[in-house]
Amino acid sequence: MNDEFLWSGLGLIPALAARVHGRAPAGVTGVSIDTRTLQPGDLYFAIKGDAKDGHDFAGAAFAAGAAAAVVDEARADALSAHGPLYIVDDTLASMENLGRAARARGEAKIIAVTGSVGKTGTKEALRAALGASGPTHASAASYNNHWGVPLTLARMPRASRFGVFEIGMNHSGEITPLTGMVRPHVAVVTTIAPVHLEHFASLDAIAEAKAEIFLGLEPGGAAIIHADIPQFDLLNARARASRAGRVLSFGEHAGADAQLISFEARETGSMVSAKVLGEAVTFYLGAPGRHLAVNGLAVLLAAVCAGADLHASARALGAFEAPAGRGQRTGLAAADGNFTLIDESYNANPASMRAALALLGEAAAGRRVAVLGDMLELGPDAARLHAELSEAIAENRVDTVFAAGPLMRGLYDALPPGVRGAWKEKSDGLEDVLAEALGAGDVVMVKGSNGSRMGPVVAALKRRFASPNGAQER
Ligand SMILES: Nc1ncnc2c1ncn2[C@@H]1O[C@H](COP(=O)(O)OP(=O)(O)OP(=O)(O)O)[C@@H](O)[C@H]1O
Ligand SMILES: [Mg+2]
Protein backbone atom coordinates (compact mmCIF):
# COMPACT_ATOMS: atom_id res chain seq x y z
CA MET A 1 0.00 0.00 0.00
CA ASN A 2 1.07 3.52 -0.72
CA ASP A 3 2.25 5.09 2.54
CA GLU A 4 1.01 8.56 1.64
CA PHE A 5 -2.51 7.28 2.35
CA LEU A 6 -4.01 6.38 5.71
CA TRP A 7 -6.20 3.83 3.92
CA SER A 8 -6.13 2.72 0.28
CA GLY A 9 -9.44 3.06 -1.53
CA LEU A 10 -9.58 -0.67 -2.21
CA GLY A 11 -8.42 -1.61 1.27
CA LEU A 12 -11.41 0.22 2.67
CA ILE A 13 -13.91 -2.11 0.99
CA PRO A 14 -13.33 -5.21 3.16
CA ALA A 15 -12.52 -3.15 6.25
CA LEU A 16 -15.85 -1.35 6.00
CA ALA A 17 -17.79 -4.35 4.65
CA ALA A 18 -19.03 -1.93 1.98
CA ARG A 19 -20.08 -1.93 -1.64
CA VAL A 20 -18.77 0.96 -3.68
CA HIS A 21 -20.82 3.33 -5.77
CA GLY A 22 -18.79 5.33 -8.29
CA ARG A 23 -15.03 5.13 -8.56
CA ALA A 24 -13.22 4.34 -5.33
CA PRO A 25 -10.47 6.90 -4.62
CA ALA A 26 -6.83 5.76 -4.71
CA GLY A 27 -6.79 6.39 -1.00
CA VAL A 28 -7.85 8.67 1.85
CA THR A 29 -5.51 10.72 4.03
CA GLY A 30 -7.77 11.09 7.06
CA VAL A 31 -11.13 10.19 8.57
CA SER A 32 -13.81 12.70 9.56
CA ILE A 33 -17.37 12.73 10.86
CA ASP A 34 -17.74 16.52 10.90
CA THR A 35 -17.75 18.64 7.75
CA ARG A 36 -16.69 21.74 9.71
CA THR A 37 -13.29 20.23 10.47
CA LEU A 38 -13.01 17.87 7.49
CA GLN A 39 -9.73 18.12 5.58
CA PRO A 40 -9.44 17.62 1.82
CA GLY A 41 -8.71 13.93 1.13
CA ASP A 42 -10.60 12.69 4.21
CA LEU A 43 -13.05 9.82 4.24
CA TYR A 44 -16.35 11.19 5.54
CA PHE A 45 -18.54 8.97 7.72
CA ALA A 46 -22.20 10.07 7.77
CA ILE A 47 -23.06 9.30 11.39
CA LYS A 48 -26.47 9.80 12.97
CA GLY A 49 -26.17 11.90 16.13
CA ASP A 50 -28.81 12.75 18.71
CA ALA A 51 -29.84 15.96 17.01
CA LYS A 52 -28.52 15.73 13.46
CA ASP A 53 -27.90 13.12 10.81
CA GLY A 54 -24.53 13.28 9.04
CA HIS A 55 -26.19 12.08 5.82
CA ASP A 56 -27.69 15.57 5.49
CA PHE A 57 -24.14 16.97 5.28
CA ALA A 58 -22.68 14.57 2.72
CA GLY A 59 -22.91 17.28 0.04
CA ALA A 60 -21.03 19.68 2.30
CA ALA A 61 -18.40 16.99 2.92
CA PHE A 62 -17.68 16.64 -0.79
CA ALA A 63 -17.69 20.43 -1.18
CA ALA A 64 -15.00 20.54 1.56
CA GLY A 65 -12.89 18.03 -0.36
CA ALA A 66 -13.90 14.61 0.98
CA ALA A 67 -12.34 11.82 -1.09
CA ALA A 68 -15.37 9.59 -0.46
CA ALA A 69 -18.26 9.17 1.97
CA VAL A 70 -19.53 6.19 3.92
CA VAL A 71 -23.33 6.18 3.93
CA ASP A 72 -26.20 3.92 4.91
CA GLU A 73 -27.85 1.79 2.24
CA ALA A 74 -31.16 3.57 2.92
CA ARG A 75 -29.73 6.97 1.97
CA ALA A 76 -27.38 5.88 -0.79
CA ASP A 77 -29.57 6.54 -3.84
CA ALA A 78 -30.30 10.12 -2.86
CA LEU A 79 -26.59 10.86 -2.32
CA SER A 80 -25.16 9.08 -5.35
CA ALA A 81 -24.64 12.26 -7.38
CA HIS A 82 -22.27 13.88 -4.87
CA GLY A 83 -19.21 11.65 -5.22
CA PRO A 84 -17.84 8.17 -4.54
CA LEU A 85 -19.73 6.30 -1.83
CA TYR A 86 -18.97 3.33 0.37
CA ILE A 87 -22.42 1.93 1.05
CA VAL A 88 -22.96 -0.01 4.29
CA ASP A 89 -25.78 -1.23 6.52
CA ASP A 90 -24.85 1.00 9.44
CA THR A 91 -22.21 3.72 9.25
CA LEU A 92 -21.32 3.67 12.96
CA ALA A 93 -20.85 -0.12 12.91
CA SER A 94 -18.65 0.19 9.83
CA MET A 95 -16.54 2.91 11.50
CA GLU A 96 -16.07 0.46 14.38
CA ASN A 97 -15.01 -2.19 11.84
CA LEU A 98 -12.48 0.20 10.35
CA GLY A 99 -11.22 0.93 13.87
CA ARG A 100 -10.75 -2.78 14.54
CA ALA A 101 -8.93 -3.13 11.21
CA ALA A 102 -6.59 -0.27 12.19
CA ARG A 103 -5.93 -1.93 15.53
CA ALA A 104 -5.21 -5.26 13.84
CA ARG A 105 -2.90 -4.06 11.07
CA GLY A 106 -0.13 -2.25 12.96
CA GLU A 107 2.49 -2.94 15.58
CA ALA A 108 1.69 0.02 17.86
CA LYS A 109 1.74 -0.39 21.61
CA ILE A 110 -1.68 0.76 22.76
CA ILE A 111 -2.42 2.70 25.92
CA ALA A 112 -5.97 3.39 27.09
CA VAL A 113 -6.75 6.04 29.70
CA THR A 114 -9.90 6.33 31.76
CA GLY A 115 -10.75 7.90 35.14
CA SER A 116 -13.19 10.40 36.62
CA VAL A 117 -10.90 13.36 35.90
CA GLY A 118 -7.55 13.83 34.23
CA LYS A 119 -8.12 11.67 31.15
CA THR A 120 -7.38 14.31 28.53
CA GLY A 121 -4.48 15.81 30.46
CA THR A 122 -2.94 12.37 30.94
CA LYS A 123 -3.56 11.47 27.30
CA GLU A 124 -1.84 14.67 26.16
CA ALA A 125 1.07 14.10 28.55
CA LEU A 126 1.43 10.60 27.11
CA ARG A 127 1.42 12.04 23.60
CA ALA A 128 4.31 14.31 24.64
CA ALA A 129 6.21 11.62 26.58
CA LEU A 130 5.91 8.85 24.00
CA GLY A 131 6.52 11.21 21.10
CA ALA A 132 10.15 11.29 22.26
CA SER A 133 10.47 7.55 21.52
CA GLY A 134 8.52 7.20 18.26
CA PRO A 135 5.51 8.20 16.15
CA THR A 136 2.56 8.55 18.51
CA HIS A 137 -1.11 8.66 17.59
CA ALA A 138 -3.57 9.96 20.18
CA SER A 139 -7.22 10.92 20.49
CA ALA A 140 -8.22 14.43 19.50
CA ALA A 141 -9.77 16.59 22.25
CA SER A 142 -11.90 14.38 24.54
CA TYR A 143 -12.96 11.92 21.84
CA ASN A 144 -13.70 9.21 24.35
CA ASN A 145 -17.18 7.80 23.63
CA HIS A 146 -18.99 5.39 21.31
CA TRP A 147 -18.01 7.40 18.24
CA GLY A 148 -14.84 9.13 19.51
CA VAL A 149 -13.02 5.89 20.26
CA PRO A 150 -13.68 4.10 16.93
CA LEU A 151 -12.96 7.35 15.06
CA THR A 152 -9.60 7.66 16.82
CA LEU A 153 -8.79 4.04 16.03
CA ALA A 154 -9.74 4.48 12.37
CA ARG A 155 -7.38 7.46 12.21
CA MET A 156 -4.35 5.56 13.54
CA PRO A 157 -1.58 5.42 10.92
CA ARG A 158 -0.17 1.97 10.25
CA ALA A 159 3.34 3.14 11.15
CA SER A 160 2.42 4.38 14.66
CA ARG A 161 4.70 3.08 17.36
CA PHE A 162 2.30 4.14 20.10
CA GLY A 163 -1.45 4.75 20.21
CA VAL A 164 -3.06 6.61 23.11
CA PHE A 165 -6.82 6.40 23.60
CA GLU A 166 -9.04 8.35 26.00
CA ILE A 167 -12.02 6.25 27.11
CA GLY A 168 -14.93 7.80 29.01
CA MET A 169 -18.35 6.82 30.25
CA ASN A 170 -21.55 8.15 31.78
CA HIS A 171 -23.08 4.77 32.62
CA SER A 172 -21.84 1.39 33.65
CA GLY A 173 -21.31 -0.98 30.72
CA GLU A 174 -20.15 1.73 28.31
CA ILE A 175 -16.42 1.10 28.63
CA THR A 176 -16.59 -2.65 27.97
CA PRO A 177 -17.21 -2.46 24.19
CA LEU A 178 -14.75 0.44 23.80
CA THR A 179 -11.86 -1.30 25.53
CA GLY A 180 -12.74 -4.40 23.51
CA MET A 181 -12.14 -2.40 20.34
CA VAL A 182 -8.97 -0.70 21.59
CA ARG A 183 -7.43 -3.86 23.15
CA PRO A 184 -4.85 -1.89 25.14
CA HIS A 185 -1.45 -3.23 26.18
CA VAL A 186 -1.58 -0.73 29.03
CA ALA A 187 -4.73 0.50 30.79
CA VAL A 188 -4.59 3.52 33.11
CA VAL A 189 -7.27 4.60 35.60
CA THR A 190 -6.30 8.14 36.63
CA THR A 191 -8.55 8.48 39.65
CA ILE A 192 -12.08 7.97 40.97
CA ALA A 193 -14.07 11.05 41.96
CA PRO A 194 -17.67 12.23 42.27
CA VAL A 195 -18.41 12.94 38.61
CA HIS A 196 -21.61 11.81 36.85
CA LEU A 197 -22.94 10.94 40.29
CA GLU A 198 -26.42 11.18 38.82
CA HIS A 199 -26.04 7.74 37.30
CA PHE A 200 -24.19 6.04 40.16
CA ALA A 201 -25.07 5.10 43.72
CA SER A 202 -21.53 5.47 45.08
CA LEU A 203 -17.87 6.06 44.27
CA ASP A 204 -17.34 2.30 44.41
CA ALA A 205 -19.96 1.92 41.70
CA ILE A 206 -18.01 4.43 39.59
CA ALA A 207 -14.82 2.47 40.23
CA GLU A 208 -16.53 -0.74 39.08
CA ALA A 209 -17.52 0.95 35.83
CA LYS A 210 -14.01 2.35 35.27
CA ALA A 211 -12.51 -1.09 36.01
CA GLU A 212 -14.23 -2.37 32.87
CA ILE A 213 -11.22 -0.95 31.03
CA PHE A 214 -9.15 -3.92 32.26
CA LEU A 215 -11.49 -6.34 30.44
CA GLY A 216 -9.99 -5.32 27.10
CA LEU A 217 -6.35 -5.68 28.16
CA GLU A 218 -4.16 -7.80 25.94
CA PRO A 219 -3.00 -10.94 27.77
CA GLY A 220 0.04 -10.03 29.84
CA GLY A 221 -0.67 -6.29 29.58
CA ALA A 222 -0.31 -3.77 32.37
CA ALA A 223 -2.95 -2.15 34.57
CA ILE A 224 -1.97 1.17 36.16
CA ILE A 225 -3.95 2.51 39.11
CA HIS A 226 -3.83 5.30 41.67
CA ALA A 227 -2.33 4.14 44.98
CA ASP A 228 -3.73 6.98 47.10
CA ILE A 229 -7.48 6.65 46.58
CA PRO A 230 -9.99 4.70 48.69
CA GLN A 231 -10.97 2.64 45.61
CA PHE A 232 -7.42 1.29 45.18
CA ASP A 233 -8.28 -2.14 46.62
CA LEU A 234 -11.32 -2.48 44.42
CA LEU A 235 -9.44 -1.48 41.26
CA ASN A 236 -6.49 -3.65 42.21
CA ALA A 237 -8.77 -6.69 42.68
CA ARG A 238 -10.46 -6.11 39.30
CA ALA A 239 -7.11 -5.64 37.57
CA ARG A 240 -5.72 -8.83 39.10
CA ALA A 241 -8.79 -10.74 37.99
CA SER A 242 -8.24 -9.56 34.40
CA ARG A 243 -5.68 -10.83 31.91
CA ALA A 244 -3.20 -8.19 33.10
CA GLY A 245 0.29 -9.54 33.60
CA ARG A 246 1.32 -6.57 35.72
CA VAL A 247 -0.62 -4.33 38.06
CA LEU A 248 1.29 -1.15 38.93
CA SER A 249 0.39 1.79 41.12
CA PHE A 250 1.33 5.47 41.24
CA GLY A 251 0.93 8.17 43.86
CA GLU A 252 2.38 9.50 47.09
CA HIS A 253 1.94 6.20 48.94
CA ALA A 254 5.27 4.71 50.00
CA GLY A 255 4.49 1.37 48.37
CA ALA A 256 3.59 2.84 44.98
CA ASP A 257 5.53 1.55 41.96
CA ALA A 258 5.86 5.15 40.83
CA GLN A 259 6.14 7.22 43.96
CA LEU A 260 6.19 10.98 44.25
CA ILE A 261 9.24 11.88 46.33
CA SER A 262 9.16 15.65 46.08
CA PHE A 263 7.10 18.31 44.38
CA GLU A 264 8.02 21.93 43.93
CA ALA A 265 5.54 24.37 42.39
CA ARG A 266 6.93 26.73 39.78
CA GLU A 267 4.98 29.48 38.10
CA THR A 268 3.96 27.60 34.97
CA GLY A 269 4.92 24.06 35.90
CA SER A 270 6.55 21.96 38.57
CA MET A 271 9.78 20.18 39.45
CA VAL A 272 9.02 16.59 40.30
CA SER A 273 11.22 13.92 41.84
CA ALA A 274 9.98 10.37 41.81
CA LYS A 275 11.01 6.78 42.13
CA VAL A 276 9.71 4.83 39.17
CA LEU A 277 10.12 1.04 39.32
CA GLY A 278 13.10 1.51 41.61
CA GLU A 279 14.76 4.19 39.48
CA ALA A 280 15.15 7.77 40.63
CA VAL A 281 13.96 10.36 38.13
CA THR A 282 13.67 14.13 38.38
CA PHE A 283 11.87 16.13 35.74
CA TYR A 284 10.20 19.41 34.98
CA LEU A 285 6.51 19.14 34.12
CA GLY A 286 5.36 22.01 31.92
CA ALA A 287 1.93 22.34 33.56
CA PRO A 288 1.36 23.33 37.18
CA GLY A 289 -0.36 21.47 40.01
CA ARG A 290 0.41 18.57 42.28
CA HIS A 291 -2.45 16.56 40.77
CA LEU A 292 -0.86 16.81 37.33
CA ALA A 293 2.50 15.76 38.77
CA VAL A 294 0.84 12.65 40.17
CA ASN A 295 -0.86 11.99 36.82
CA GLY A 296 2.65 12.35 35.35
CA LEU A 297 3.76 9.33 37.35
CA ALA A 298 1.03 7.26 35.70
CA VAL A 299 2.34 8.55 32.37
CA LEU A 300 5.89 7.38 33.14
CA LEU A 301 4.73 3.93 34.24
CA ALA A 302 2.61 3.60 31.11
CA ALA A 303 5.50 4.75 28.93
CA VAL A 304 7.87 2.17 30.41
CA CYS A 305 5.26 -0.60 30.08
CA ALA A 306 4.80 0.37 26.43
CA GLY A 307 8.53 0.02 25.81
CA ALA A 308 9.52 3.71 25.81
CA ASP A 309 12.59 5.01 27.59
CA LEU A 310 11.85 6.27 31.12
CA HIS A 311 14.28 9.17 31.09
CA ALA A 312 13.47 10.34 27.56
CA SER A 313 9.80 10.27 28.49
CA ALA A 314 10.41 12.25 31.68
CA ARG A 315 12.46 14.84 29.80
CA ALA A 316 9.71 15.22 27.20
CA LEU A 317 7.20 16.14 29.90
CA GLY A 318 8.95 19.50 30.17
CA ALA A 319 7.38 20.44 26.84
CA PHE A 320 3.91 19.37 27.94
CA GLU A 321 1.59 22.32 28.47
CA ALA A 322 -1.78 22.52 30.16
CA PRO A 323 -4.44 22.10 27.47
CA ALA A 324 -6.80 25.09 26.93
CA GLY A 325 -9.33 25.46 29.73
CA ARG A 326 -7.30 23.16 32.00
CA GLY A 327 -4.89 25.46 33.75
CA GLN A 328 -3.54 27.52 30.86
CA ARG A 329 -2.05 30.80 32.13
CA THR A 330 -2.21 34.19 30.47
CA GLY A 331 -0.59 37.43 31.55
CA LEU A 332 -3.05 40.34 31.35
CA ALA A 333 -2.70 44.06 31.91
CA ALA A 334 -4.89 46.09 34.29
CA ALA A 335 -4.63 49.87 34.51
CA ASP A 336 -2.32 49.63 37.54
CA GLY A 337 -0.17 46.72 36.37
CA ASN A 338 -0.11 43.09 35.24
CA PHE A 339 -2.01 40.13 36.63
CA THR A 340 -2.32 36.42 35.82
CA LEU A 341 -5.36 34.56 34.55
CA ILE A 342 -5.60 30.79 35.09
CA ASP A 343 -8.14 29.35 32.67
CA GLU A 344 -9.80 26.26 34.18
CA SER A 345 -13.08 26.90 32.40
CA TYR A 346 -13.22 23.63 30.46
CA ASN A 347 -15.08 21.73 33.15
CA ALA A 348 -15.54 21.26 36.88
CA ASN A 349 -16.45 18.71 39.50
CA PRO A 350 -15.55 18.60 43.19
CA ALA A 351 -12.21 16.85 42.57
CA SER A 352 -10.96 19.13 39.81
CA MET A 353 -12.34 22.18 41.65
CA ARG A 354 -10.23 21.28 44.71
CA ALA A 355 -7.18 20.71 42.52
CA ALA A 356 -7.68 24.09 40.85
CA LEU A 357 -8.10 25.85 44.19
CA ALA A 358 -4.88 24.21 45.38
CA LEU A 359 -3.20 25.51 42.24
CA LEU A 360 -4.43 29.00 43.11
CA GLY A 361 -3.16 28.48 46.68
CA GLU A 362 0.32 27.72 45.34
CA ALA A 363 0.44 30.88 43.25
CA ALA A 364 2.61 33.74 44.44
CA ALA A 365 -0.05 36.39 44.32
CA GLY A 366 -0.98 39.81 45.54
CA ARG A 367 -4.54 38.57 45.83
CA ARG A 368 -5.90 35.14 45.03
CA VAL A 369 -9.22 35.46 43.23
CA ALA A 370 -11.51 32.54 42.38
CA VAL A 371 -14.28 32.96 39.81
CA LEU A 372 -16.54 29.95 40.07
CA GLY A 373 -19.52 28.63 38.10
CA ASP A 374 -21.86 25.75 38.96
CA MET A 375 -20.60 22.17 38.91
CA LEU A 376 -23.30 20.28 36.97
CA GLU A 377 -24.48 16.64 36.91
CA LEU A 378 -23.86 16.04 40.61
CA GLY A 379 -27.31 14.68 41.45
CA PRO A 380 -29.07 15.13 44.80
CA ASP A 381 -25.88 15.98 46.73
CA ALA A 382 -25.08 18.95 44.51
CA ALA A 383 -25.86 21.64 47.11
CA ARG A 384 -23.69 20.00 49.76
CA LEU A 385 -20.81 19.38 47.32
CA HIS A 386 -20.83 23.09 46.43
CA ALA A 387 -21.02 24.37 50.01
CA GLU A 388 -18.18 22.06 51.09
CA LEU A 389 -15.78 23.91 48.81
CA SER A 390 -15.64 26.65 51.44
CA GLU A 391 -13.04 24.52 53.27
CA ALA A 392 -10.74 24.35 50.24
CA ILE A 393 -11.21 28.09 49.74
CA ALA A 394 -10.04 28.76 53.29
CA GLU A 395 -7.19 26.23 53.14
CA ASN A 396 -5.81 27.76 49.98
CA ARG A 397 -6.08 31.31 51.32
CA VAL A 398 -8.31 32.54 48.52
CA ASP A 399 -8.88 36.25 49.11
CA THR A 400 -12.00 36.85 47.04
CA VAL A 401 -14.60 34.61 45.43
CA PHE A 402 -16.83 35.67 42.57
CA ALA A 403 -19.56 33.16 41.83
CA ALA A 404 -22.33 32.55 39.31
CA GLY A 405 -25.29 30.20 39.16
CA PRO A 406 -27.91 28.81 41.57
CA LEU A 407 -25.69 26.05 42.98
CA MET A 408 -22.78 28.39 43.64
CA ARG A 409 -25.19 30.59 45.59
CA GLY A 410 -25.01 27.97 48.37
CA LEU A 411 -21.23 28.17 48.48
CA TYR A 412 -21.23 31.94 48.28
CA ASP A 413 -23.55 32.23 51.27
CA ALA A 414 -21.34 29.82 53.24
CA LEU A 415 -18.25 32.05 52.80
CA PRO A 416 -17.05 34.58 55.37
CA PRO A 417 -18.35 38.01 54.28
CA GLY A 418 -14.82 39.35 53.71
CA VAL A 419 -14.21 36.73 51.00
CA ARG A 420 -17.41 37.46 49.05
CA GLY A 421 -16.73 39.41 45.87
CA ALA A 422 -20.07 39.15 44.07
CA TRP A 423 -22.65 36.52 43.08
CA LYS A 424 -24.68 36.64 39.86
CA GLU A 425 -27.40 34.42 38.46
CA LYS A 426 -25.53 33.95 35.17
CA SER A 427 -21.83 33.91 34.36
CA ASP A 428 -21.96 36.88 31.97
CA GLY A 429 -23.24 38.99 34.85
CA LEU A 430 -19.75 38.74 36.38
CA GLU A 431 -17.88 40.41 33.53
CA ASP A 432 -18.40 44.02 34.63
CA VAL A 433 -17.77 43.45 38.35
CA LEU A 434 -14.59 41.55 37.53
CA ALA A 435 -13.39 44.27 35.18
CA GLU A 436 -13.88 46.67 38.06
CA ALA A 437 -12.26 44.51 40.73
CA LEU A 438 -9.12 43.03 39.13
CA GLY A 439 -5.77 44.73 39.42
CA ALA A 440 -1.99 44.46 39.53
CA GLY A 441 -0.51 41.32 41.09
CA ASP A 442 -3.78 39.37 41.23
CA VAL A 443 -3.94 35.73 40.25
CA VAL A 444 -7.41 34.92 38.98
CA MET A 445 -8.62 31.35 38.49
CA VAL A 446 -11.84 30.81 36.51
CA LYS A 447 -13.60 27.46 36.70
CA GLY A 448 -17.01 25.86 36.24
CA SER A 449 -18.74 23.09 34.33
CA ASN A 450 -18.80 23.62 30.60
CA GLY A 451 -22.55 24.26 30.74
CA SER A 452 -22.02 27.05 33.29
CA ARG A 453 -20.40 29.12 30.54
CA MET A 454 -17.26 30.28 32.34
CA GLY A 455 -15.30 30.03 29.04
CA PRO A 456 -16.94 33.25 27.79
CA VAL A 457 -15.89 34.96 31.05
CA VAL A 458 -12.28 33.99 30.30
CA ALA A 459 -12.65 35.30 26.75
CA ALA A 460 -14.13 38.58 28.04
CA LEU A 461 -11.25 39.07 30.51
CA LYS A 462 -8.71 38.39 27.79
CA ARG A 463 -10.44 40.95 25.59
CA ARG A 464 -10.78 43.65 28.22
CA PHE A 465 -7.32 43.27 29.70
CA ALA A 466 -5.28 42.45 26.61
CA SER A 467 -1.85 43.98 27.13
CA PRO A 468 -0.75 46.51 24.48
CA ASN A 469 1.65 43.98 22.96
CA GLY A 470 -1.02 41.27 23.03
CA ALA A 471 -1.89 38.88 25.83
CA GLN A 472 1.02 36.64 26.67
CA GLU A 473 0.24 32.92 26.80
CA ARG A 474 2.60 31.64 29.43
N1 LIG B 1 -5.99 13.60 39.65
C1 LIG B 1 -6.72 14.71 39.57
N2 LIG B 1 -7.41 15.17 40.63
C2 LIG B 1 -8.15 16.29 40.55
N3 LIG B 1 -8.28 17.02 39.44
C3 LIG B 1 -7.62 16.63 38.35
C4 LIG B 1 -6.80 15.45 38.36
N4 LIG B 1 -6.28 15.33 37.13
C5 LIG B 1 -6.72 16.36 36.40
N5 LIG B 1 -7.53 17.14 37.12
C6 LIG B 1 -8.23 18.36 36.68
O1 LIG B 1 -9.48 17.97 36.13
C7 LIG B 1 -9.89 18.85 35.08
C8 LIG B 1 -10.28 18.07 33.87
O2 LIG B 1 -9.14 17.44 33.33
P1 LIG B 1 -9.22 16.61 31.99
O3 LIG B 1 -9.86 17.41 30.93
O4 LIG B 1 -7.90 16.02 31.75
O5 LIG B 1 -10.27 15.49 32.47
P2 LIG B 1 -11.14 14.45 31.62
O6 LIG B 1 -11.19 13.24 32.48
O7 LIG B 1 -10.56 14.29 30.27
O8 LIG B 1 -12.57 15.14 31.52
P3 LIG B 1 -13.80 14.79 30.50
O9 LIG B 1 -14.56 13.68 31.17
O10 LIG B 1 -14.56 16.08 30.48
O11 LIG B 1 -13.23 14.41 29.18
C9 LIG B 1 -8.71 19.79 34.87
O12 LIG B 1 -9.01 20.99 35.52
C10 LIG B 1 -7.54 19.08 35.52
O13 LIG B 1 -6.56 19.96 35.99
MG1 LIG C 1 -11.43 14.56 28.45
Side-chain angles (χ1 to χ4, degrees), residues 117-121 142 166 291 295 326 344 346-347 351-352 447:
V117 288
K119 296 182 290 296
T120 298
S142 279
E166 175 168 339
H291 59 300
N295 293 349
R326 301 173 184 82
E344 281 275 354
Y346 165 72
N347 224 337
S352 66
K447 191 168 184 72

Side-chain angles (χ1 to χ4, degrees), residues 361-440:
E362 281 158 12
R367 276 190 319 165
R368 299 188 180 88
V369 181
V371 183
L372 308 178
D374 285 353
M375 304 181 287
L376 305 177
E377 299 180 24
L378 292 179
D381 287 337
R384 178 176 58 78
L385 292 167
H386 280 74
E388 280 175 1
L389 289 177
S390 61
E391 292 156 27
I393 285 169
E395 269 165 35
N396 292 295
R397 294 164 294 140
V398 176
D399 295 288
T400 311
V401 173
F402 292 87
L407 290 166
M408 276 296 168
R409 178 85 223 191
L411 168 65
Y412 190 75
D413 290 340
L415 294 173
V419 179
R420 293 181 205 159
W423 174 87
K424 301 285 176 186
E425 185 74 40
K426 295 217 162 79
S427 65
D428 55 8
L430 289 174
E431 291 175 14
D432 288 336
V433 281
L434 281 171
E436 192 74 8
L438 297 177

Side-chain angles (χ1 to χ4, degrees), residues 151-168:
L151 175 62
T152 304
L153 269 174
R155 287 174 165 178
M156 182 162 66
R158 186 197 289 269
S160 305
R161 172 150 173 225
F162 303 104
V164 187
F165 293 81
E166 175 168 339
I167 298 187

Side-chain angles (χ1 to χ4, degrees), residues 201-352:
S202 66
L203 287 174
D204 281 1
I206 295 179
E208 289 286 4
K210 299 289 183 196
E212 290 173 27
I213 196 167
F214 305 135
L215 301 176
L217 269 175
E218 290 283 274
I224 296 180
I225 55 189
H226 200 321
D228 305 337
I229 58 174
Q231 288 72 34
F232 171 79
D233 288 339
L234 191 159
L235 291 171
N236 189 32
R238 295 300 171 268
R240 288 186 188 284
S242 77
R243 288 180 298 182
R246 292 171 99 178
V247 181
L248 300 174
S249 64
F250 64 95
E252 310 206 20
H253 193 275
D257 297 291
Q259 187 198 346
L260 186 72
I261 304 293
S262 77
F263 167 84
E264 197 186 308
R266 298 275 170 88
E267 198 183 354
T268 57
S270 25
M271 280 306 301
V272 184
S273 291
K275 208 163 87 187
V276 179
L277 300 169
E279 254 189 89
V281 45
T282 295
F283 60 97
Y284 178 72
L285 179 69
R290 200 177 182 95
H291 59 300
L292 298 188
V294 172
N295 293 349
L297 302 184
V299 167
L300 294 181
L301 281 179
V304 172
C305 290
D309 179 68
L310 170 64
H311 295 281
S313 302
R315 261 196 315 279
L317 287 177
F320 169 70
E321 285 178 12
R326 301 173 184 82
Q328 204 174 64
R329 296 184 178 215
T330 307
L332 294 178
D336 59 345
N338 295 339
F339 69 97
T340 301
L341 172 69
I342 304 179
D343 174 9
E344 281 275 354
S345 63
Y346 165 72
N347 224 337
N349 54 64
S352 66

